[in-house]
Amino acid sequence: MQYHAFIIKYAEIGIKGKNRYLFEEALVKQMERVLEKCEGEFSIFRVSGRIYLNAKGFDFDETVAALQRVFGITGICPAVCIERDENGKLPDINGLSAEVIKFLDGVYTDKNKTFKIKCRRVDKTYPLDSMEAAAEIGAQVLDAFPEMKVDVRDPQILVSVEIREKVNIYSEIIPGPGGMPIGTSGKACLLLSGGIDSPVAGYMIAKRGAEIEAVYFNAPPYTSERAKQKVIDLAKVIAKYTGKVRLHIINFTDIQMYIYKQCPHDELTIIMRRYMMRIADMIAAQNKCMGLITGESIGQVASQTMESLMATNEVVTDMPVYRPLIAFDKQDIVDISLKIDAYETSILPYEDCCTIFVAKHPVTKPRLEVIRSHEHRLDEKIDELVKTALDTDEILELEV
């Protein structure tokens, strides 16, 4: 069957009370963003808590794939929608049953299946209530297709019939990503590396409706152009879900080398992370972000023990640090990375500035007073180096 309409389902938006329309508007805006790159003509409209998408000349798979990247959508239902006639009337129960039979015949070639009719009468002026309508439609389906059988507990086909301002008939709910529409939760700044974790962290916070500003710390010539391009590609993966992502590329080489020369090498990772957090904090403030995002997970590496996290967190001013992966096992993170198509890029074997000067035995339980003391060795030049890094910030606006 060639569908020409979709019903878009959402979850949390439905409990937003008087503000629900704001979230619905944001959801529609994001749908329009992804559909403008798809083949076909589309129109989206909202009616009584339902979002409808009408489509002409479109590619079904391409359209569904695009909608599955819109946060806020929990289900995409290819549907047949029956409008009222010129007198404003919906089909009577015989006409409605005929439409359901036509729908089943068009969608399911093999009729040797069990089914259930689930009817919801929102328009209370319709002469039959939900139970009566479902029973009558079911009976006429059995007459039309004797090989089909009713199973009200675990049917192979669940046909939903909604009697509203129009009649909607559908039997498939294609899952969406869930979450909240982009733009409904402010903006946050992601510390993006070339690894597996940080793109997943950015995806998860974006899924709660946040726009993403990203920062990457580059260390040429110790890191290559291929490593830089890898991070750009990962930012584009996130942009598939969020729309435009601004990526700040900070040249970190001079800062990193200065720390390497002045500080104990077993503390290099912690002190380097503290300066990354400081710089990200400044970029976030300049760009009106309301938090930092990192891909840290307790105990995963030396810089992510509880003591290390406390040490890196201390340098952030009053900005919250969101760590959505903090209690995740690595495999949990890999599973999400695979789902969002970031994994194959993340595992490309290019250098990362976090790893090129890693000590053989990095400190895992840093003492704050010791770290602060050793950072004073940087006092002579570090502020100037940080200012230079910020002044030479390379900004890319990435959109897919």
Side-chain angles (χ1 to χ4, degrees):
M1 169 178 278
Q2 176 63 56
Y3 292 101
H4 297 287
F6 296 87
I7 298 170
I8 304 301
K9 289 181 175 285
Y10 52 70
E12 288 184 59
I13 294 175
I15 59 172
K16 291 300 180 185
K18 293 180 179 179
N19 290 328
R20 186 172 74 179
Y21 77 96
L22 296 172
F23 291 84
E24 288 181 341
E25 288 176 356
L27 181 58
V28 169
K29 183 178 178 182
Q30 292 302 314
M31 290 172 60
E32 291 173 340
R33 175 181 63 79
V34 298
L35 291 173
E36 71 180 7
K37 296 180 175 64
C38 294
E39 180 184 350
E41 297 178 21
F42 304 96
S43 58
I44 305 169
F45 54 98
R46 297 182 288 140
V47 181
S48 305
R50 274 281 183 271
I51 295 179
Y52 295 95
L53 169 65
N54 287 342
K56 294 179 181 176
F58 69 107
D59 183 284
F60 183 90
D61 292 337
E62 180 189 45
T63 301
V64 169
L67 293 172
Q68 286 183 306
R69 298 196 301 270
V70 177
F71 294 135
I73 293 177
T74 57
I76 304 157
C77 307
V80 170
C81 300
I82 302 163
E83 304 288 346
R84 293 172 183 266
D85 65 16
E86 62 274 11
N87 298 315
K89 292 186 176 179
L90 294 172
D92 64 15
I93 192 62
N94 290 326
L96 195 51
S97 299
E99 292 290 350
V100 173
I101 291 168
K102 181 180 174 183
F103 171 84
L104 284 169
D105 201 28
V107 175
Y108 300 97
T109 305
D110 180 10
K111 304 297 189 301
N112 191 22
K113 295 180 181 296
T114 59
F115 78 100
K116 174 183 176 181
I117 303 295
K118 180 183 177 183
C119 192
R120 186 181 177 202
R121 186 190 63 158
V122 178
D123 179 355
K124 302 303 183 187
T125 66
Y126 199 77
L128 280 70
D129 66 24
S130 299
M131 294 290 288
E132 292 169 337
E136 182 60 31
I137 294 169
Q140 296 200 30
V141 169
L142 286 173
D143 289 341
F145 306 119
E147 64 271 44
M148 297 188 78
K149 292 181 173 56
V150 173
D151 184 343
V152 297
R153 294 188 175 181
D154 187 24
Q156 292 171 295
I157 304 171
L158 176 62
V159 183
S160 294
V161 180
E162 298 179 347
I163 304 173
R164 308 169 69 94
E165 67 286 344
K166 62 175 79 177
V167 173
N168 304 318
I169 305 170
Y170 58 91
S171 62
E172 183 181 13
I173 303 177
I174 302 167
M180 303 295 287
I182 293 293
T184 58
S185 298
K187 184 165 62 172
C189 183
L190 169 67
L191 280 77
L192 182 64
S193 72
I196 296 171
D197 303 340
S198 57
V200 172
Y203 166 86
M204 292 185 66
I205 294 298
K207 187 176 176 180
R208 298 308 303 165
E211 297 176 51
I212 299 295
E213 192 100 10
V215 181
Y216 166 58
F217 293 92
N218 195 21
Y222 302 103
T223 57
S224 65
E225 281 299 309
R226 293 187 305 178
K228 176 179 170 182
Q229 183 60 48
K230 173 184 173 183
V231 174
I232 292 171
D233 292 340
L234 288 171
K236 288 180 178 178
V237 170
I238 297 171
K240 286 195 300 183
Y241 296 88
T242 64
K244 187 181 297 181
V245 168
R246 275 161 50 94
L247 174 63
H248 301 257
I249 299 175
I250 298 294
N251 191 326
F252 200 60
T253 309
D254 291 342
I255 295 172
Q256 198 165 12
M257 291 303 297
Y258 190 49
I259 296 171
Y260 185 77
K261 291 175 182 174
Q262 300 295 326
C263 298
H265 289 182
D266 63 344
E267 296 172 359
L268 177 62
T269 302
I270 293 296
I271 295 175
M272 189 178 68
R273 288 286 299 172
R274 283 164 65 90
Y275 275 95
M276 287 180 174
M277 294 290 274
R278 287 183 173 105
I279 292 171
D281 184 45
M282 294 178 201
I283 291 173
Q286 290 167 1
N287 290 278
K288 300 180 179 178
C289 295
M290 292 183 280
L292 301 181
I293 308 167
T294 73
E296 293 156 322
S297 173
I298 293 177
Q300 189 178 114
V301 292
S303 64
Q304 296 176 25
T305 62
M306 282 197 174
E307 292 86 351
S308 298
L309 291 171
M310 182 184 292
T312 55
N313 213 65
E314 182 203 37
V315 298
V316 180
T317 54
D318 55 356
M319 196 157 296
V321 180
Y322 301 113
R323 296 182 170 95
L325 312 182
I326 198 70
F328 276 39
D329 289 340
K330 192 67 178 182
Q331 188 57 50
D332 298 332
I333 301 169
V334 168
D335 290 344
I336 299 175
S337 181
L338 287 165
K339 185 177 80 172
I340 65 175
D341 292 330
Y343 183 74
E344 293 302 326
T345 303
S346 289
I347 62 172
L348 291 173
Y350 305 143
E351 321 80 18
D352 186 290
C353 78
C354 293
T355 58
I356 51 179
F357 293 122
V358 170
K360 189 173 182 180
H361 300 292
V363 63
T364 57
K365 296 182 179 180
R367 292 167 55 197
L368 274 175
E369 64 274 18
V370 175
I371 296 293
R372 290 178 195 140
S373 171
H374 289 154
E375 276 188 349
H376 281 305
R377 300 180 185 178
L378 305 171
D379 286 349
E380 182 182 353
K381 289 185 179 178
I382 195 67
D383 289 345
E384 180 186 342
L385 292 174
V386 168
K387 181 177 183 304
T388 300
L390 288 168
D391 289 345
T392 56
D393 178 8
E394 179 186 359
I395 302 175
L396 303 179
E397 295 196 350
L398 305 171
E399 192 169 11
V400 178

